[in-house]
Amino acid sequence: MPGLPDLPGVSYVMPVLNEEAYLEPAVRTILAQDYAGEKEIVLALGPSRDRSDEIAARLAEEDPRVRLVGNPARDIPAGLNAAISASRHPVIVRVDAHSELTPDYTRLGVAALRRTGAANVGGIMRAAGRGAVQRAIARGYNSPYGLGGGAYHGDGVAGLAESAYLGIFRREAIAAVGGYDPGILRGEDWELNLRIRRSGREVWFEPALGVTYWPRASLADLARQFFATGTWRAVLVRRYRGANPWRFFVPGALVLGLATSAVGLALLLTGVLPWASAWPLLLAPAAAYLLGVGFAVIRIPEQRGVGDRLLTAAALVTMHLSWGAGFLRGIVFGGGRVVDRSRI
């Protein structure tokens, strides 16, 4: 790709929906970036039911670098496209209201874009929590036993990547593939990066980039979020088939295995199947999963006492089963209008 100037202007784009608890700190970390180039922030405001619009208006009044656009469709891809269309700089930084950038994020990211010639650069997502439940959920995010797979959930080595968390993009790369697909309501980052890679451009993982992510603060909200995520991952499997990594299929297979164990246990307890036979082998998936969760809880760091370990186990099980159930729903029925309702 053509070279970038030393200090290209940067446009930060952020979809906003019911984010009154997180929006202002997220914007403040952007305004505090130690990057010397020109900057702007474009907030795409969905139909929030809290004080998000009021907070956004105040931030825009205080600093002319903060600009507002509407996102009546409420969905993340539509909001990102609206914000990108309203922005003007050659570098697009996709940010999230639940995320806070380290002060050097933009400077290091732009340097990586210039050094590698990549179309998109992403770093590491560090989940954090304030209460006991949110901290347990964050531990799940930060562990390969929770989400697993993506380099941006760990401390991988810099290099070419399948996708990127958030992302620092060359504007022309986004334009060349038509922007975010408004029909993909979750997993939009992976899908966009797939099209970027298929266009002959590169996605780069840069572990020096750090982002703090504040996950959902309750298990119920986590379940809603992950069910929607699993559903739309299945849509991506249906659309792109062999381009999907094998890990997308694991939670769905887990749910099927546990369902088999549940049916087997019911038939054994009711006497339909005899215990003195090979039929108790139907319980093997559930037994293996319980052992796996126990092993993961022992290995995951930053836990204090039995209460933390029980919450970590609950967070892992919620992640796995919600994602897997959503995936099976999406494989059979498609995405429909399944959306993440945890922020409504």
Side-chain angles (χ1 to χ4, degrees):
M1 299 186 69
L4 285 170
D6 289 345
L7 292 172
V10 172
S11 297
Y12 303 86
V13 295
M14 178 193 295
V16 178
L17 181 70
N18 297 321
E19 298 288 5
E20 67 176 3
Y22 297 95
L23 176 58
E24 184 163 356
V27 171
R28 297 293 182 198
T29 66
I30 296 170
L31 295 174
Q33 291 291 289
D34 65 5
Y35 181 67
E38 194 173 356
K39 298 185 286 288
E40 66 173 355
I41 308 171
V42 184
L43 306 179
L45 304 180
S48 293
R49 299 179 182 177
D50 61 7
R51 296 177 52 251
S52 294
D53 288 3
E54 175 187 334
I55 294 169
R58 175 170 53 79
L59 292 169
E61 184 177 353
E62 292 175 0
D63 195 312
R65 293 174 295 178
V66 180
R67 300 166 53 209
L68 311 179
V69 297
N71 178 26
R74 83 177 288 280
D75 299 321
I76 290 174
L80 288 169
N81 286 338
I84 291 169
S85 295
S87 68
R88 56 193 177 89
H89 291 311
V91 174
I92 305 293
V93 180
R94 189 250 205 260
V95 286
D96 188 273
H98 269 241
S99 298
E100 298 177 12
L101 310 181
T102 56
D104 57 3
Y105 182 85
T106 306
R107 175 169 52 82
L108 295 179
V110 170
L113 274 183
R114 298 183 68 246
R115 183 181 72 252
T116 64
N120 183 21
V121 172
I124 294 177
M125 180 186 75
R126 299 289 190 196
R130 295 189 175 97
V133 174
Q134 193 178 37
R135 285 196 295 271
I137 293 170
R139 289 193 291 271
Y141 266 89
N142 293 332
S143 169
Y145 302 110
L147 293 184
Y152 49 84
H153 293 301
D155 296 311
V157 178
L160 296 177
E162 168 193 323
S163 186
Y165 175 58
L166 300 180
I168 301 174
F169 296 85
R170 301 282 295 266
R171 174 183 288 276
E172 60 264 39
I174 296 178
V177 298
Y180 288 89
D181 185 339
I184 300 295
L185 304 187
R186 299 287 296 177
E188 69 283 346
D189 292 319
W190 183 89
E191 196 274 341
L192 175 64
N193 281 294
L194 174 63
R195 286 186 281 121
I196 286 174
R197 289 188 288 112
R198 286 185 167 182
S199 73
R201 298 168 176 86
E202 294 178 340
V203 178
W204 186 265
F205 172 63
E206 186 63 44
L209 303 180
V211 182
T212 298
Y213 173 74
W214 299 96
R216 303 301 185 266
S218 75
L219 294 176
D221 283 345
L222 180 70
R224 296 186 187 99
Q225 179 192 19
F226 272 61
F227 182 84
T229 300
T231 298
W232 286 96
R233 288 297 188 188
V235 173
L236 294 175
V237 167
R238 286 163 57 126
R239 177 181 293 189
Y240 293 111
R241 300 184 184 276
N244 295 273
W246 63 268
R247 66 178 184 274
F248 281 14
F249 299 87
V250 173
L254 169 65
V255 170
L256 290 176
L258 294 180
T260 299
S261 290
V263 171
L265 180 61
L267 294 176
L268 288 165
L269 291 176
T270 56
V272 175
L273 297 177
W275 285 94
S277 66
W279 288 111
L281 289 175
L282 292 173
L283 306 182
Y289 180 60
L290 290 175
L291 289 173
V293 170
F295 177 79
V297 168
I298 292 172
R299 295 294 302 272
I300 291 175
E302 300 178 1
Q303 300 180 95
R304 301 175 183 175
V306 175
D308 267 7
R309 295 187 184 279
L310 290 175
L311 284 174
T312 298
L316 292 176
V317 171
T318 301
M319 288 178 171
H320 299 158
L321 300 192
S322 300
W323 206 106
F327 183 84
L328 295 177
R329 191 268 185 213
I331 284 291
V332 176
F333 300 109
R337 285 299 302 172
V338 174
V339 295
D340 174 12
R341 299 192 177 277
S342 62
R343 296 186 185 180
I344 297 177

